[in-house]
Amino acid sequence: MLEILITLVIIATALLGTAGLQVYAMRMGQSGQFRTQAVFLASDIAERMEANKVAAVAGNYVLASTSVSSVAATDCATAACSSTNLASWDISQWGISIAGLLPQAEWSITRTVVGNPSTYQIIVRWTDRSSVKGVSGEPFSYTATRTVSN
């Protein structure tokens, strides 16, 4: 009978250890998903700039660091838009996507080279769960650069 109890304790300990490893693996998997989302989102706005080169070269995609998505004046999904209005719409839709996909996100777009071609730096920041106990969150960021010429 004692041997059975010792076996049960050993099995229970092994199962708890396995459950702990599963929880850790899920947490790290979610961190990888956030990083992938950041890369995807930066590529999304870069492609939008490529599609609207006139506004990109004019500097209409510059966005100060923010954590709140803006609302575009014109809904370019249902109405015809100028290149300036389309840039505003793109930034608005992009901000909504970031706010919905990344925790405690912040984003900015700066123009590092003015003229034709123009170079933009796209920065996406977010706070992920920390892998260290007692620490509330760990900041991460992804930076992409895109050159657009008209």
Side-chain angles (χ1 to χ4, degrees):
M1 189 66 141
L2 183 62
E3 295 160 345
I4 293 172
L5 289 175
I6 292 172
T7 303
L8 286 174
V9 167
I10 291 172
I11 290 173
T13 304
L15 289 174
L16 285 174
T18 303
L21 285 173
Q22 286 291 334
V23 168
Y24 182 76
M26 287 174 56
R27 187 178 322 136
M28 292 299 110
Q30 187 176 31
S31 294
Q33 181 181 4
F34 289 150
R35 292 176 190 187
T36 302
Q37 288 293 343
V39 171
F40 170 75
L41 290 164
S43 297
D44 177 41
I45 196 66
E47 289 173 8
R48 290 175 186 250
M49 287 180 198
E50 283 287 333
N52 190 6
K53 292 179 180 184
V54 172
V57 170
N60 294 331
Y61 280 92
V62 173
L63 177 66
S65 184
T66 185
S67 60
V68 179
S69 57
S70 61
V71 177
T74 305
D75 182 358
C76 293
T78 59
C81 287
S82 67
S83 61
T84 303
N85 288 342
L86 183 58
S88 175
W89 170 257
D90 287 344
I91 289 171
S92 171
Q93 295 301 298
W94 184 62
I96 291 168
S97 296
I98 292 174
L101 293 171
L102 296 175
Q104 300 174 15
E106 185 177 307
W107 53 93
S108 65
I109 303 171
T110 55
R111 191 158 73 155
T112 57
V113 176
V114 177
N116 190 9
S118 290
T119 301
Y120 286 88
Q121 184 178 48
I122 303 159
I123 301 173
V124 179
R125 294 181 190 87
W126 70 98
T127 302
D128 197 356
R129 289 187 229 161
S130 179
S131 59
V132 180
K133 286 187 178 182
V135 177
S136 62
E138 194 172 347
F140 286 93
S141 69
Y142 176 75
T143 303
T145 304
R146 177 59 63 111
T147 301
V148 181
S149 61
N150 195 359

